[in-house]
């Protein structure tokens, strides 16, 4: 049974930082693409960041334009976890953040929720103005 458990969400002021973590069990993160998505009330789930792993080269990372330069996705293969460090948070970053695991056929599909097979329960991030 595959489980993804997110942690680290909370309430933060504008300009603040949070670090989200996703602990995977039942599957090894090196075998899959790992992504972070978010969903605000009344909006569709949107891509935030993703990381893939190549045993010869290492980790590749991908970001939505809206978070590029502020958020950093990383993986700890030994702990089977993926993290999302979020700096410079803005009220528009308020959402439920989801960790996802999947095997997109190419990098263009990393931003598509349908490319991911497994999802966590989500963790709330609220940024106050």
């Amino acid at each position: 049974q595959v489980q993804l458990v997110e942690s680290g969400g909370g309430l933060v002021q504008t300009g603040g930082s949070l670090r989200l973590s996703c602990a995977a069990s039942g599957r090894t993160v090196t075998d899959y693409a790992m992504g972070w998505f978010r969903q605000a009330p009344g909006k569709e789930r949107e891509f935030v960041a993703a990381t893939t792993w190549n045993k010869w080269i290492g980790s590749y990372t991908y970001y939505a334009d809206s978070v590029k330069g502020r958020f950093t996705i990383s993986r700890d293969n030994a702990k089977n976890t993926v993290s999302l460090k979020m700096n410079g948070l803005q009220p528009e970053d308020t959402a439920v953040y989801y960790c996802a695991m999947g095997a997109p056929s190419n990098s263009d599909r990393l931003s598509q929720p349908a490319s991911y097979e497994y999802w966590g329960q989500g963790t709330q991030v609220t940024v106050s103005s």
Side-chain angles (χ1 to χ4, degrees):
Q1 182 181 358
V2 180
Q3 274 195 316
L4 302 175
V5 179
E6 301 101 332
S7 60
L11 174 65
V12 65
Q13 292 185 334
T14 297
S17 299
L18 283 174
R19 185 181 185 91
L20 306 183
S21 293
C22 172
S25 60
R27 291 288 187 276
T28 304
V29 298
T30 52
D31 294 336
Y32 293 87
M34 299 298 297
W36 285 98
F37 289 78
R38 65 187 181 187
Q39 189 166 17
K43 294 188 177 181
E44 292 187 353
R45 191 166 297 190
E46 67 170 354
F47 171 74
V48 175
T51 174
T52 59
W53 175 259
N54 180 295
K55 66 178 180 179
W56 307 110
I57 299 174
S59 177
Y60 290 90
T61 57
Y62 306 82
Y63 297 94
D65 288 342
S66 59
V67 306
K68 203 170 293 183
R70 299 189 299 126
F71 291 12
T72 303
I73 188 171
S74 60
R75 56 169 68 223
D76 186 331
N77 293 334
K79 295 182 179 179
N80 216 35
T81 60
V82 176
S83 297
L84 184 69
K85 181 65 188 298
M86 306 184 293
N87 295 326
L89 284 162
Q90 303 296 315
E92 52 266 34
D93 295 316
T94 295
V96 177
Y97 283 70
Y98 296 92
C99 174
M101 171 186 280
S105 56
N106 57 65
S107 60
D108 290 342
R109 294 186 173 274
L110 284 168
S111 62
Q112 300 174 13
S115 297
Y116 294 82
E117 184 175 359
Y118 305 107
W119 292 83
Q121 81 288 351
T123 185
Q124 177 71 46
V125 171
T126 302
V127 185
S128 63
S129 57

